[in-house]
Amino acid sequence: MNQPPLDVWHTHRQWMINTERASAFVSDVVRTELLRRYGGIYLDLDFITLRPLPIQPLTSSGRHSPTGRHHIPRNWLAWADHRLVNLAIGSFIKGHWLLENIVADIPRVFEPDSCCSIGPDLVTRHLYQSCSQNLTNQSFNQSYAIGTLATDNNNSAIITQTTHTNNLYSLGQECNGTTVFPKTFFYPVHYGYGEGELKSIFKEGAGLGETFFSNSTTAFTLHHYNSLSARALVSPAGDSILREAFRRNCPRVFQLLDEAHVFF
């Protein structure tokens, strides 16, 4: 952060006023500036990938190929809930217009007492300013709920079976060359803050793990919200979604921990 417009913002150290949120503020800024300067793909550490992310294949010359069976966008991010888009996961080229606008605005809109003034609030605002006609809030509806976890009125977790599509990327909303994917692509399990929603990815005894994957979910990732779930335990002997993701993606390590009856 040694270049304008972030150098003055960083030097003034206003982000240190809120000691509980200081590291989150710096994280919001650093990820945006790194992507703005160099381009690439960013994921928070509390994401677990379930299958390859939307990435354009390289040609023999080392360049990204714009063609293929289905067009794969170079620039994308996703709805995090029914009203906000964030940069917890995303792919961008160097100098992308959205990142340029966000970085330019950070010194002006930063509020130490607000959790999200330079995070999802700012990302969503710029997208709406550029493409309000193309973006619709991601309230839960069947057209976007692809093999996802829903919650009924009793806060008990249930799996919703829905229609699939041959070209998943067509479900994204376009904004000046940027694709905003449905939240079910990267946040397939709704957390919320209710007692019955908080850790549904860890829930055992309801058979959610097998059901989630048997529905051929189109989710690319699971997001387990470290700030909400850091103390959660997962048993290899259970039937949670996280346990089943681990068994499928890391079978050798899973077997060792299972045999040793280790909780992880």
Side-chain angles (χ1 to χ4, degrees):
M1 288 181 273
N2 61 348
Q3 298 178 10
L6 297 177
D7 53 346
V8 175
W9 177 84
H10 185 262
T11 301
H12 286 172
R13 293 293 199 273
Q14 287 189 339
W15 46 270
M16 296 182 67
I17 295 175
N18 187 337
T19 56
E20 292 184 1
R21 296 288 306 174
S23 61
F25 294 148
V26 174
S27 175
D28 285 336
V29 175
V30 168
R31 76 183 67 172
T32 311
E33 178 67 349
L34 284 172
L35 288 171
R36 182 184 76 89
R37 289 198 195 185
Y38 305 107
I41 296 174
Y42 173 85
L43 295 85
D44 274 354
L45 288 174
D46 49 3
F47 276 98
I48 298 173
T49 54
L50 302 179
R51 58 197 184 91
L53 299 175
I55 301 173
Q56 286 189 357
L58 294 176
T59 65
S60 58
S61 64
R63 297 179 179 274
H64 285 282
S65 171
T67 60
R69 182 180 177 186
H70 299 303
H71 172 68
I72 303 176
R74 285 290 305 278
N75 305 296
W76 53 263
L77 65 176
W79 290 93
D81 59 26
H82 69 284
R83 64 184 185 89
L84 291 173
V85 182
N86 68 8
L87 284 176
I89 186 169
S91 172
F92 293 93
I93 60 172
K94 175 181 177 180
H96 188 271
W97 66 266
L98 177 61
L99 305 178
E100 294 282 0
N101 291 344
I102 292 173
V103 169
D105 249 5
I106 286 174
R108 182 180 64 85
V109 304
F110 176 64
E111 298 178 9
D113 294 331
S114 171
C115 74
C116 311
S117 65
I118 57 175
D121 287 352
L122 186 56
V123 175
T124 307
R125 185 182 312 131
H126 275 291
L127 284 169
Y128 270 112
Q129 287 175 352
S130 299
C131 307
S132 59
Q133 71 281 5
N134 293 349
L135 299 178
T136 56
N137 285 358
Q138 292 292 281
S139 57
F140 187 86
N141 63 64
Q142 295 300 315
S143 63
Y144 288 103
I146 307 173
T148 61
L149 196 92
T151 304
D152 65 16
N153 294 330
N154 296 319
N155 282 330
S156 60
I158 57 174
I159 294 292
T160 302
Q161 179 69 51
T162 56
T163 305
H164 299 277
T165 176
N166 291 327
N167 187 359
L168 299 177
Y169 306 125
S170 66
L171 292 177
Q173 299 168 339
E174 290 300 315
C175 178
N176 294 338
T178 302
T179 299
V180 185
F181 283 128
K183 70 185 187 69
T184 50
F185 276 32
F186 302 103
Y187 306 89
V189 178
H190 177 64
Y191 274 71
Y193 294 90
E195 183 68 25
E197 301 172 349
L198 184 59
K199 296 173 182 176
S200 48
I201 192 175
F202 303 96
K203 184 179 179 64
E204 298 189 3
L208 296 181
E210 286 284 353
T211 307
F212 181 81
F213 287 96
S214 66
N215 279 355
S216 300
T217 175
T218 56
F220 290 92
T221 62
L222 284 174
H223 191 210
H224 58 81
Y225 298 85
N226 181 69
S227 61
L228 302 179
S229 64
R231 297 181 181 275
L233 296 177
V234 181
S235 169
D239 60 357
S240 68
I241 293 175
L242 190 58
R243 179 263 188 194
E244 185 61 17
F246 184 34
R247 185 186 72 81
R248 290 169 179 259
N249 288 278
C250 309
R252 293 184 180 181
V253 176
F254 178 87
Q255 183 179 359
L256 289 173
L257 291 177
D258 193 18
E259 292 173 350
H261 303 290
V262 173
F263 287 81
F264 51 93

